[in-house]
């Protein structure tokens, strides 16, 4: 009954405990009348809002690496169970339902030990594996009829990496068997000596059910399960001491010192305006601040150098990176443990922190001197350290925090992906419609209706990847920093959001600059600016709005306007309507633009042999099934291969060689059928591409009759739905995005092509030798790279090694190339630069995979073959500095200029 | 660029010396005191400053023997391993006054006076970092390597050195031409490469004196007991250095020198001709090769050469000194990764993160730079590391091929004798 209640609580749409707001009103419950938005009661006194509601019953693909577990019957039940009484799980979900949480804690306070996560950091289990024998005679009551619960009396969850089973809870009857030796969060490693994972657990259980002997379970202690329950931190005002202790232990710290004399003497704390974590005397940065302050004064005045940027210090046997940011006479110090955030990462994160603080408060000074702001700052820094240091994606399988996962893609800028053009047009169009904010839709009384806000621009993320940005470069950088450091982006990856609304007043870059320069001919109105973040599913849409100028002036505390929230929501709804969510989840796992070689062993001699054998097998299989594959197609393929291709194109040959014989289409044939293709044509690119041929059916269809089949259907549908659409109209449509004509029909028809995924190659040569790439434009703050979880998708030890090496090497290359970039950006630098390094524009390193790894991958049978790959970075200074990092197999030399050129076609 | 090294007695805070190179002003006493204060203060809080970065520069503190604190400040885009520099400075200090003296400072004024004799060596060290004086006659272009000349006569000279060392009851002797190591006695390898380099520096610092002996403490081998280093000028720019005991007296050594070396004058003159090419004439290089830095990793010896082609030296656009600087910068910032064993030991307390980096460095086998005006390529083959400077027109794959060829030739050529 109790459970039922909590369930209904959860499902009520206005369960305001789902938020992480700082609003103080206690009576959060509100009616779900249609006129009052569900987040209304969460709006804080200052008008700011953070409202999050997470979808739990997600049948949709949550992530591309969703384990098969979701499909196993036992685990489905498990999921259901989880939903009805959500609790702390080691899956490390960032946000949880507090109310349920509390209720559960209250329920079990008598029976269950407090949660293991917070104290486990200090505890070191010496023997890693623990064996528990469970009597066969015991059959546990499992309400869910779950096999595992019945047999063992415990419930399991999947580790976020999808490869490990984690103990989530014990049934009450079984509690005595396991505790105190096994704790929640431990890994189930073996059953009767058989290693288990989410994929084979059902089979293993089946065997055990038939086996007459008592099953033996082997558990493994997770080495370092420091999981910060961020949600708790974010919701409650008084931060749990254990979490502060955790941050203190890991030497995270923030200190803001005011060094001008007046305030120094007036302040009780000798000029320290902000210190986190507190108490002061336990904060190592506070205790040693004298050293940093002195150094900061001494370096420019007496040593003739610039102010210090970073210090690496050794404290309690831990290396800590301290970064300096000075603001007039004040000094902001941030400390990160070197183990989790190396110097490279610490520098970049600090830049982002400063960006975010200035964006939210106008300046560092006002950030730390704003009255009653300490709680908010505490929460923010706590979130920041939590996201950076303790989120699960930073861990490897054993739970160790992996330094190399402070990935260069995350640090440099907003991670964008190269979506196909027609998809980008869709996205841009939806956002443009939002930005136009045509308020005629809202009211009939147009005359007396003045806009509240002008939309300055917006950007759209999907699962932490930037899809589109209509913002100024600086605004994008700041918004990206805000979303990243507050964990909003991470949340959108980990969870499927049902609703997320964040509303904050911000100080845009342009306005700050204007204030500083006192330049009177600025065109910026003297208004106020607000950031509205709306999320749904894995989408995050951030919109920057301006009040003032032609709109109504915002006075006092300004809560979010339901109109604009709804408008943003409807923008996202539009994207859902056209099926973009489904398309993207497919696209993100498709590895297409450009295609990467995620099975690097195929590039070795032995690997080639293996592949040939494999493909021969499947080739014959294919032939027998598709004799229909006409000669005409094959001839066509040859012709295409002979012609000089601007972009190397290959079918999505994820499975076999044979699928290379996909049907290759002339672009123009495609264009006359599909409406949006025209855009490509109009830009006069000689791009050829092939269609995906994963489905043999489509293969044969297309090859039988190239203009008929699915495309013909589509075309007909096009004609039917958008009656009278001809190419002229299309052209106009494309060129003038954001026209008021409803395009949803066309959108639908376009996204019907989901299963047709075009793949491109950007490296030269017959084989695809590209393992990874990153292209970074520092001015825009955008970097283009393959999807973040590509190494997880590949699930290949050698590939993971390559990517890890790539990311580490990139940091070094990036640092070296900065000399050139800085020199070109600012010729009259006061600090003389090394005159040799400023000329370096390309830096390459050839790596060799270790022999053990090759043996492990079964490539290197006779220790004869080496596996070498290049990591090369190059800076292009014209027209804007652009850095390209490439990781490819040594067998085919690549010219980075060419690669950059081909890559630019994909953009 | 500028580099400053300050030595302070840790306990008393008395400045021992400060040496600088570059365009910066002299460091004030108050600044030294503040810098020391920062270190002392943080030490009180169980915190040690490992390093501090400023814009294109670094500041580090390092305490040696628990008694002397060295502070190094490098700015202005100087690419050097400051930590390595400080440990070299410390070596020099031990070399001239002994470890005991440094560990247990009794009379600080006496120590200051004693250390004054190593100023020339320190200044050479700092000077060699300055790219503007790469052509200085006292080459320590790369702090951690001994600059050498490869000449066909090295084997014969070794015999002479062996005899000479025996006659003066020493074991370790070497011959230097233009400050480059040319030949060594057979036992010379027993010395730590850093000690060997100190000997060369000593010879360079005593420029002009025909025969001189100096008490030296070998930092690794005998930091507490002094040996006698005898430097003897054979010809112009040619020195022979030997480390021996208290006997025989200098006057006797003078005779022994004459006895041992008279017959080798011709060979030495031939060997001298190898400079400044530094490679035997039998080894030829492609015309696109503008400069080369060859490193024998085990012996910590390196050979720089920018005079590879006998003709048309002037026609090149890049000046010789600049070429050396490019190669040196390439080595210091980039190519040293190819030989992780050359790196100074990282902090003992470096956590797991450090070890993974180490693992990755182990498997770099080639590296290159492309700049507007030139290309650099570094490749390792076994014990040899070769950094080559190419004209910017050379393609990367050509570059790799040529470097490979050079390495093969250098590994097989019989005239090369380290």
């Amino acid at each position: 009954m109790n459970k039922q209640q909590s369930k209904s609580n959860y499902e009520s749409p206005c369960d305001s405990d789902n938020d992480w707001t700082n609003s103080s009103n206690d009576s959060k419950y509100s009616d779900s009348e249609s006129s009052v938005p569900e987040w209304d009661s969460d709006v804080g006194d200052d008008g700011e809002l953070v409202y999050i509601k997470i979808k739990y019953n997600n049948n949709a693909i949550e992530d591309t690496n969703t384990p098969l577990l979701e499909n196993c019957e036992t685990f489905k039940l498990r999921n259901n169970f989880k939903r009805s009484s959500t609790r702390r799980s080691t899956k490390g979900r960032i946000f949880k339902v507090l109310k349920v949480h509390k209720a559960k804690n209250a329920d079990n306070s008598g029976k269950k030990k407090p949660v293991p996560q917070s104290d486990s950091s200090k505890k070191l289990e010496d023997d890693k594996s623990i064996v528990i024998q469970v009597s066969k005679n015991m059959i546990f009551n499992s309400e869910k009829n779950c096999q595992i619960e019945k047999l063992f009396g415990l419930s399991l969850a999947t580790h976020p990496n999808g490869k490990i089973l984690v103990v989530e809870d014990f049934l009450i009857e079984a509690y005595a068997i396991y505790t105190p030796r096994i704790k929640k969060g431990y890994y189930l490693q073996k059953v009767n000596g058989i290693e288990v994972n989410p994929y084979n657990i059902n089979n293993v259980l089946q065997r055990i059910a038939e086996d007459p002997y008592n099953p033996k379970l082997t558990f493994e202690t997770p080495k370092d399960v420091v999981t910060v329950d961020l949600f708790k931190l974010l919701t409650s005002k008084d931060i749990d001491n254990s979490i502060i202790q955790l941050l203190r232990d890991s030497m995270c710290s923030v200190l803001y010192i005011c060094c001008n004399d007046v305030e120094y003497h007036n302040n009780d704390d000798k000029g320290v305006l902000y210190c986190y974590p507190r108490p002061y005397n336990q904060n190592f940065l506070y205790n040693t601040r004298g050293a940093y302050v002195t150094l900061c004064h001494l370096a420019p005045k007496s040593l003739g150098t610039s102010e210090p940027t970073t210090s690496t210090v050794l404290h309690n046997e831990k290396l800590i990176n301290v970064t300096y940011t000075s603001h007039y006479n004040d000094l902001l110090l941030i400390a990160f443990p070197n183990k989790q955030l190396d110097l490279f990462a610490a520098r970049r994160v600090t830049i982002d922190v400063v960006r975010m603080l200035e964006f939210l408060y106008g300046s560092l000074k006002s950030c730390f001197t704003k009255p009653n702001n300490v709680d908010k700052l505490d929460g923010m820094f706590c979130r920041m350290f939590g996201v950076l240091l303790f989120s699960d994606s930073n861990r490897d399988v054993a739970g160790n925090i992996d330094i190399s996962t402070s990935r260069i893609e995350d640090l440099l800028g907003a991670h964008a992906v190269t979506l196909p053009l027609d998809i980008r047009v869709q996205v841009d169009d939806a956002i443009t419609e939002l930005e136009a904010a045509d308020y005629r839709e809202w009211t009939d009384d147009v005359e007396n209706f003045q806009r509240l806000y002008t939309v300055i621009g917006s950007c759209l993320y999907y699962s932490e990847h930037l899809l589109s940005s209509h913002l100024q470069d600086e605004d994008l950088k700041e918004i990206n920093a805000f979303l990243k450091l507050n964990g909003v982006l991470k949340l959108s990856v980990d969870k499927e959001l049902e609703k997320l609304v964040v509303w904050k007043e911000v100080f845009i870059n342009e306005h700050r600059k204007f204030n500083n320069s006192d330049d009177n001919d600025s065109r910026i109105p003297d208004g106020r600016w607000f950031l509205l973040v709306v999320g749904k599913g894995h989408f995050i849409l951030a919109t920057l709005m301006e009040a003032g100028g032609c709109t109504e002036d915002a006075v006092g505390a300004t809560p979010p306007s339901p109109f604009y929230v709804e408008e943003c929501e409807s923008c996202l709804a539009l994207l859902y309507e056209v099926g973009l969510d489904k398309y993207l989840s497919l696209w993100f796992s498709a590895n297409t633009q450009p295609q990467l070689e995620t099975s690097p062993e195929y590039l070795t001699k032995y690997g080639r042999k293996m592949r040939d054998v494999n493909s021969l097998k499947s080739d014959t299989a294919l032939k027998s099934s598709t004799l229909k594959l006409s000669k005409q197609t094959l001839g066509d393929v040859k012709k295409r291969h002979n012609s000089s291709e601007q972009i190397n194109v290959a079918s999505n040959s994820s499975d076999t060689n044979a699928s290379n014989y996909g049907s290759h289409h002339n672009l123009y044939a495609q264009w006359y059928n599909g409406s949006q293709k025209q855009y490509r044509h109009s830009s006069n690119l000689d791009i050829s591409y092939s269609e995906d041929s994963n489905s043999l059916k489509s293969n044969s269809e297309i090859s039988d009759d190239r203009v008929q089949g699915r495309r013909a259907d589509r075309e007909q549908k096009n004609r039917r739905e958008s009656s009278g659409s001809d190419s002229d109209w299309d052209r106009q449509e494309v060129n003038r995005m954001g026209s008021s004509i409803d395009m949803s029909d066309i959108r639908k028809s376009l996204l019907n092509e989901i299963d047709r995924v075009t793949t491109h190659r950007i490296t030269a040569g017959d084989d695809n030798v590209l393992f990874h790439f990153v292209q970074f434009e520092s001015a825009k703050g955008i970097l283009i790279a393959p999807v973040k979880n590509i190494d997880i998708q590949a699930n290949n030890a050698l590939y993971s090694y390559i990517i890890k090496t790539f990311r580490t090497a990139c940091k070094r290359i990036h640092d070296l190339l900065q000399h050139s970039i800085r020199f070109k950006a600012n010729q009259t630098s006061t600090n003389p630069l090394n005159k040799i390094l400023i000329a370096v524009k390309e830096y390459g390193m050839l790596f060799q995979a270790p022999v053990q790894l090759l043996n492990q991958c079964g490539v290197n049978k006779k220790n004869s073959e080496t596996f070498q790959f290049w990591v090369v970075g190059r800076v292009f200074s014209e027209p804007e500095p652009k850095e390209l990092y490439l990781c490819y197999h040594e067998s085919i030399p690549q010219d980075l200029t060419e690669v950059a050129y081909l890559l630019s076609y994909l953009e | 660029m500028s580099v400053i090294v300050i030595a302070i007695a840790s306990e008393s805070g008395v400045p021992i010396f400060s040496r600088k190179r570059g365009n910066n002003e002299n460091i004030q006493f108050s600044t030294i005191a503040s810098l020391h204060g920062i270190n002392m203060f943080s030490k009180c809080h169980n915190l040690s400053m490992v390093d501090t970065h400023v814009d294109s520069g670094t500041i580090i503190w390092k305490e040696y023997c628990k008694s002397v604190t060295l502070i190094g400040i490098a700015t202005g885009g100087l690419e050097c391993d400051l930590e390595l520099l400080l440990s070299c400075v410390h070596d020099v200090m031990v070399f001239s006054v002994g470890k005991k003296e440094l560990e247990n400072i009794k009379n600080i004024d006496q120590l200051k006076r004693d250390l004054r004799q190593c100023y020339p060596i320190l200044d050479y060290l700092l000077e060699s970092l300055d790219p503007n004086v790469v052509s200085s006659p006292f080459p320590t272009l790369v702090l951690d390597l001994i600059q050498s000349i490869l000449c066909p006569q090295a084997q014969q000279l070794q015999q002479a050195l062996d005899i000479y060392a025996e006659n003066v009851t020493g074991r370790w002797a070497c011959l230097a031409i233009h400050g480059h190591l040319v030949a060594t006695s057979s036992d010379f390898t027993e010395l730590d490469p850093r000690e060997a380099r100190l000997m060369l520096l000593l010879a360079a610092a005593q420029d002009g004196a025909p025969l001189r002996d100096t008490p030296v403490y070998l930092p690794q081998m005998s930091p507490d007991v002094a040996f006698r280093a005898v430097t003897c000028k054979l010809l112009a720019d040619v020195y022979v250095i030997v480390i021996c005991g208290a006997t025989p007296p200098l006057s006797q050594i003078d005779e022994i020198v004459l006895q041992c070396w008279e017959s080798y004058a011709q060979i030495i003159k031939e060997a001298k001709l190898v400079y400044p090419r530094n490679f035997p004439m039998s080894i030829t290089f492609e015309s696109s090769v503008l400069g080369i830095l060859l490193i024998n990793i085990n012996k910590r010896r390196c050979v720089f050469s920018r005079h590879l082609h006998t003709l048309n030296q002037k026609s090149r656009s890049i000046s010789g000194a600049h070429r050396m600087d490019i190669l040196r910068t390439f080595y210091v910032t980039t190519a040293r990764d190819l030989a992780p064993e050359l790196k100074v030991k990282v902090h003992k307390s470096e956590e797991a993160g450090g070890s993974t980096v180490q693992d990755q460095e182990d498997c770099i086998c080639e590296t290159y730079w492309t700049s507007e005006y030139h290309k650099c390529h570094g490749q390792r083959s076994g014990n040899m590391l070769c950094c080559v400077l190419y004209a910017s027109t050379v393609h990367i794959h050509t570059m790799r091929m040529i470097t490979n060829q050079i390495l093969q030739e250098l590994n097989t050529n019989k005239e090369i004798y380290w």
Side-chain angles (χ1 to χ4, degrees), chain A residues 268 271 337 483 510 530 580 714 751 805 820 832:
Chain A
D268 295 339
L483 293 176
E510 254 179 306
F530 298 91
L580 192 67
R714 195 171 61 231
L751 289 176
T805 312
S820 162

Side-chain angles (χ1 to χ4, degrees), chain A residues 284 287-292 294-295 298-299 302-320 324 338-339 343 347 402-404 801 804-806 808-809 812 816 819-820 822 824 831-850 868 870 872 874 877 888 890 893-894 896, chain B residues 1-2 4 6 23-24 26-28 30-31 34-35 38-39 41-42 45-56 59 61 73-79 131-132 322 325-327 329-330 333-335 337-338 343 347 349-354 356-357 359-361 363-374 377 396-397 400:
Chain A
F284 89 95
N287 289 334
T288 56
R289 68 189 187 282
Y292 316 110
T294 311
L295 199 55
L298 196 67
S302 304
L303 299 177
T305 65
S306 71
E307 278 170 355
T309 53
T310 56
S311 280
T312 306
V313 299
L314 190 65
H315 184 52
N316 291 348
E317 299 293 298
K318 270 187 183 164
L319 273 183
I320 305 156
Y324 300 75
N338 184 61
K339 196 175 166 192
L343 202 57
R347 279 185 188 146
D402 192 352
I403 183 170
S404 66
Y801 172 82
K804 206 175 146 194
T805 312
F806 171 71
T808 319
R812 304 227 312 260
L816 191 82
H819 289 98
S820 162
R822 279 172 62 187
K824 292 209 163 102
N831 289 306
L833 298 161
N834 186 302
K835 64 180 177 193
I836 291 160
L837 295 180
I838 54 172
V840 177
K841 56 186 179 182
E842 187 172 319
Y843 177 7
M845 295 187 225
L846 185 67
F847 290 91
Q848 186 161 347
Q868 297 186 319
W870 281 105
V872 184
R874 188 180 175 97
S877 42
Y888 61 91
E890 182 258 359
Q894 303 291 335
L896 256 69
Chain B
M1 82 112 224
S2 80
I4 303 165
I6 302 163
N23 42 16
N24 51 337
N26 270 324
I27 292 276
Q28 304 274 320
S30 60
T31 311
S34 304
L35 283 171
I38 291 171
N39 192 40
F41 169 74
S42 46
H45 287 89
N46 188 19
L47 179 99
S48 65
M49 287 260 183
V50 178
D51 63 352
T52 296
H53 293 274
V54 296
D55 267 349
S56 63
I59 304 171
W61 285 261
I73 304 158
T75 52
L78 175 71
E79 287 295 332
N132 301 322
H322 189 50
D325 196 24
I326 292 169
L327 273 176
T329 313
F330 178 65
T333 59
T334 305
D337 299 339
L338 297 174
K343 293 226 161 161
H347 286 268
S349 52
E350 185 80 65
E351 296 135 274
T356 54
V357 174
D359 290 344
Q360 300 211 334
E361 278 166 358
C363 46
I364 303 183
C365 37
E366 282 178 48
T367 181
Y368 74 86
W369 274 2
T370 310
S371 96
E372 318 258 339
Y373 319 107
H374 56 81
H377 183 234
I396 291 159
H397 45 97
R400 295 182 65 196

Side-chain angles (χ1 to χ4, degrees), chain B residues 235 260-271:
Chain B
L235 295 166
C260 289
W261 291 99
E262 204 169 22
S263 55
Y264 284 94
Q266 193 51 39
I267 294 174
I268 292 172
K269 275 178 191 162
E270 278 169 31

Side-chain angles (χ1 to χ4, degrees), chain B residues 279-345:
Chain B
F279 283 100
M281 286 309 289
S282 62
I283 299 170
T284 54
F285 297 96
E286 296 273 335
S287 61
S288 55
V289 175
L290 303 182
I292 186 166
L293 166 60
L294 181 72
I295 294 156
N296 183 325
I297 295 168
N298 287 348
K299 294 197 168 168
R300 302 285 193 278
R301 284 174 67 178
C302 71
V303 183
F304 266 103
S305 181
R306 59 195 168 95
H307 301 275
L308 300 170
H309 316 291
T310 40
L311 298 169
N312 65 10
Q313 279 301 316
K314 298 284 174 220
S315 62
R316 299 281 175 199
S317 52
I318 309 175
S319 80
H322 189 50
R323 278 186 224 170
M324 305 289 270
D325 196 24
I326 292 169
L327 273 176
R328 184 189 53 186
T329 313
F330 178 65
Y331 167 75
V332 171
T333 59
T334 305
R336 188 141 62 180
D337 299 339
L338 297 174
E341 56 265 52
L342 290 179
K343 293 226 161 161
V344 222
K345 271 169 252 142

Side-chain angles (χ1 to χ4, degrees), chain A residues 528-542:
Chain A
R528 289 171 68 185
W529 291 267
F530 298 91
L531 177 69
L532 173 61
V533 183
V534 171
K536 183 175 163 64
H538 298 295
F539 287 105
I540 296 286
L541 175 69

